[in-house]
């Protein structure tokens, strides 16, 4: 295989720019099997990226127009959809140590696809669905997406071990598929909401889950025979014990505490802003298409933040990058204040121009702030439980986002920001922006090192090569759907 790789890669330079991606995909298909490449594209690009763009806009309009919720209620209830991603380590352990009919991956894809498809179609086809049942179905669909994510993660990890020279290519395929899918989802979401309504969007989301079922049917996987299920419980306990032993170390729990607190105090008020932006009296009355376009520009800004970190700030110490990005994150929140106060109209600047600029800048800074935390997370993973422990850290971060969402919802309620009253929305924005600066005082919890240094002792680490692969995987996969909040 090593002797054949250079000629296959060299063909990428003969066909011009347009042929390079095709040649690259053909090379990956030859080396890794076409079913794996197609599976990555479907799960990351369509079921995660595209579906996230559709779900984000569709859920906002569903809670606003179908369930008739207040902004604080919509923000509180919508945050429950992220709970299945908090227990992502559990899904990872199940796919690793509990095979079904001798297969560790294929049955989980099929199960996730069936559950997700039924959930989305149920929300779409019910004419008057009560909030509690609608929320339960949306959470179930989110759990199906999380299981599919964990399972494809495991497939990528296995192929990275079997084909170490292609590990970077695989992560590039994952990141590219997810980014393009998410961008496309945001672009078409507003159009679909306008023409078929938010419930129709959920019906469309059943199609990606159908494709996940196809992944489970076509993916190439060896059958494991003579399984001893009696040892499953012990393996599960051993994994939990190993994670707990690592988490008790001060050089691990202190950065984890900072990550949680820095996210928890960044109160979310996005539902209040969404209701105001779509209001015809106080706000600019953006259409569904405009809302989707603004979100797509935000996704581009987030991608720019990733590229900016990798090419400019990657070798700076964590504390230094987090200090300045946290200050900029707080300042970027004030852009919403200028928008709500309608200062742009004094200078004859259209609302859509301000909204697009705000989305691009705020998402870029938010991603630039998030990237060093992802790299730091990769540095905290002990050898042998890297994937599961990294998922555990991401679960802690999801709890931070959940805390920020609930606290922000309570703040909107306390300030009487409703479907028709937005007089105190500016105050919520000011409180949120000031709170974003508070984590600067907690930077002592973060090790004063850069991305090239190690945190854990040598006996808990893998080789530098493996650690670098884990770090790059974290960087590319940092888009993680529920983390592109504002």
């Amino acid at each position: 295989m090593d002797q054949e790789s250079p000629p296959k890669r060299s063909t990428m330079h003969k066909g011009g720019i347009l042929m390079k991606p095709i040649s690259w995909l053909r090379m990956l298909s030859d080396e890794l099997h076409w079913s794996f490449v197609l599976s990555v594209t479907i799960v990351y690009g369509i079921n995660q990226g595209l579906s996230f763009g559709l779900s984000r806009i569709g859920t906002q309009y569903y809670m606003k127009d179908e369930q008739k919720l207040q902004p604080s209620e919509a923000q509180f209830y919508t945050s429950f959809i992220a709970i299945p991603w908090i227990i992502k380590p559990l899904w990872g352990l199940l796919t690793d140590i509990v095979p079904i009919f001798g297969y560790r991956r294929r049955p989980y894809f099929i199960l996730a696809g069936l559950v997700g498809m039924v959930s989305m179609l149920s929300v779409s086809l019910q004419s008057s669905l009560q909030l509690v049942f609608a929320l339960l179905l949306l959470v179930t669909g989110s759990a199906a997406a999380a299981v599919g994510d964990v399972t494809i993660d495991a497939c990528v990890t296995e192929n990275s071990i079997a084909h170490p020279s292609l590990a970077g290519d695989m992560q590039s395929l994952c990141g590219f598929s997810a980014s393009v899918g998410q961008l496309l989802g945001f672009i078409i979401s507003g159009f679909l909401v306008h023409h078929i309504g938010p419930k129709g969007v959920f019906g469309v989301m059943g199609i990606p889950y159908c494709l996940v079922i196809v992944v489970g049917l076509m993916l190439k996987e060896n059958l494991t025979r003579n399984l001893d299920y009696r040892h499953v419980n012990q393996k599960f306990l051993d994994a939990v014990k190993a994670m707990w032993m690592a988490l008790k170390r001060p050089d691990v729990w202190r950065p984890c505490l900072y990550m949680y607190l820095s996210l928890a105090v960044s109160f979310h008020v996005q539902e209040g802003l969404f209701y105001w932006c779509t209001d015809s009296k106080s706000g600019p009355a953006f259409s569904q298409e405009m809302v989707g376009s603004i979100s797509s520009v935000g996704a581009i800004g987030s991608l720019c933040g990733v590229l900016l970190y990798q090419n400019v700030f990657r070798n700076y110490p964590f504390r230094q990058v987090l200090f300045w990005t946290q200050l900029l994150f707080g300042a970027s929140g004030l852009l919403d204040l200028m928008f709500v106060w309608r200062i742009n109209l004094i200078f004859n600047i259209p609302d859509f121009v301000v909204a697009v600029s705000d989305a691009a800048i705020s998402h870029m800074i938010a991603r630039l702030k998030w990237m060093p935390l992802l790299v730091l997370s990769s540095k905290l993973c002990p050898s042998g439980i890297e994937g599961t422990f990294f998922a555990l850290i991401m679960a802690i971060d999801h709890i931070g986002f959940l805390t920020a969402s609930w606290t922000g919802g309570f703040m909107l309620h306390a300030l009487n920001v409703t479907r028709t009253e937005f007089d105190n929305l500016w105050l919520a924005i000011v409180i949120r922006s000031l709170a974003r600066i508070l984590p600067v005082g907690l930077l002592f919890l973060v090790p004063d090192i850069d991305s090239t240094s190690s945190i854990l002792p040598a006996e808990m680490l893998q080789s530098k090569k493996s650690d670098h692969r884990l770090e790059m995987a974290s960087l590319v996969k940092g888009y993680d759907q529920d983390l592109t909040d504002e």
Side-chain angles (χ1 to χ4, degrees), residues 118-344:
V118 172
S119 300
M120 293 300 100
L121 290 180
S122 297
V123 177
S124 176
L125 297 177
Q126 293 292 331
S127 57
S128 57
L129 195 61
Q130 294 184 3
L131 176 61
V132 61
F133 294 111
L135 192 61
L136 180 61
L137 290 171
L138 292 176
V139 171
T140 303
S142 178
V147 172
D149 173 77
V150 167
T151 309
I152 197 64
D153 282 348
C155 294
V156 172
T157 301
E158 290 174 347
N159 276 284
S160 297
I161 296 173
H163 306 271
S165 62
L166 297 177
D169 293 280
M170 279 183 269
Q171 294 300 336
S172 296
L173 177 64
C174 297
F176 178 78
S177 299
S179 298
V180 173
Q182 188 181 57
L183 181 59
L184 181 60
F186 278 127
I187 290 174
I188 67 175
S189 59
F191 175 83
L192 291 177
V193 170
H194 177 73
H195 289 279
I196 63 177
K199 291 199 299 183
V201 171
F202 290 128
V204 173
M205 287 176 58
I207 299 176
Y209 285 106
C210 290
L211 295 178
V212 174
I213 298 176
V214 175
V215 168
L217 296 175
M218 73 176 181
L219 186 66
K220 184 180 179 181
E221 181 184 6
N222 295 325
L223 177 66
T224 303
R225 303 182 183 277
N226 301 323
L227 295 173
D228 190 355
Y229 287 94
R230 293 174 299 178
H231 295 163
V232 168
N233 185 52
Q234 186 60 44
K235 291 180 180 179
F236 181 84
L237 293 177
D238 290 343
V240 173
K241 182 179 179 180
M243 288 190 292
W244 174 244
M245 293 298 294
L247 199 58
K248 289 196 303 182
R249 296 182 57 88
D251 47 7
V252 175
W253 69 258
R254 286 165 63 92
C256 289
L257 178 61
Y258 173 83
M259 285 185 275
Y260 167 75
L261 293 176
S262 67
L263 296 171
V265 301
S266 300
F267 307 136
H268 299 172
V269 296
Q270 71 269 16
E271 293 304 324
L273 286 168
F274 169 72
Y275 276 61
W276 177 80
C277 286
T278 56
D279 185 72
S280 59
K281 296 180 179 180
S282 302
F286 286 148
S287 65
Q288 292 93 335
E289 290 88 348
M290 285 185 176
V291 172
S293 300
I294 294 169
S295 297
S296 64
V297 173
I300 296 175
S302 181
L303 183 59
C304 290
V306 175
L307 298 176
L308 188 60
Y309 177 80
Q310 286 186 276
N311 291 281
V312 180
F313 298 105
R314 185 177 179 183
N315 294 324
Y316 284 82
F318 291 125
R319 286 187 185 179
Q320 184 176 346
V321 177
L322 290 172
F323 176 81
W324 291 108
T325 54
Q326 201 71 52
L327 292 179
L328 289 173
F329 192 46
S332 67
L334 296 177
L335 295 174
D336 293 322
L337 184 63
M338 298 175 61
F339 193 26
V340 170
W341 277 349
R342 317 298 277 144
I343 296 177
N344 60 294

Side-chain angles (χ1 to χ4, degrees), residues 6 8 14 25 27 51 53 73 102 133 180 229 299 308 325 349 351 353 367 426-427 454 460 482:
K8 291 179 181 179
K14 296 180 180 181
L25 290 174
M27 180 273 295
S51 291
E73 295 174 329
F133 294 111
V180 173
Y229 287 94
L308 188 60
T325 54
I349 302 176
D351 289 326
V353 174
R367 183 58 59 189
W426 70 271
L427 183 56
S454 299
M460 297 182 66
D482 34 285

Side-chain angles (χ1 to χ4, degrees), residues 62-97:
Y62 180 76
M63 295 299 180
K64 177 177 179 286
D65 298 335
E66 298 290 337
Q67 295 293 339
K68 307 296 182 182
L69 298 181
Q70 298 290 349
S72 57
E73 295 174 329
Q75 185 160 300
F76 177 79
Y77 290 120
T78 302
S79 61
F80 280 96
I81 300 176
I83 289 181
W85 294 83
I86 293 177
I87 56 176
K88 187 177 174 180
L90 175 61
W91 311 130
L93 287 174
L94 287 176
T95 60
D96 283 339
I97 65 178

Side-chain angles (χ1 to χ4, degrees), residues 72 267 269 407-418 421-432:
S72 57
F267 307 136
V269 296
T407 307
F410 175 79
M411 183 170 62
L412 290 174
H413 177 74
L415 294 176
N416 195 34
V417 177
T418 67
E421 295 291 334
F422 303 99
D423 293 341
N424 292 327
L425 180 58
W426 70 271
L427 183 56
I429 294 172
V430 170
I431 295 174
R432 179 201 64 178

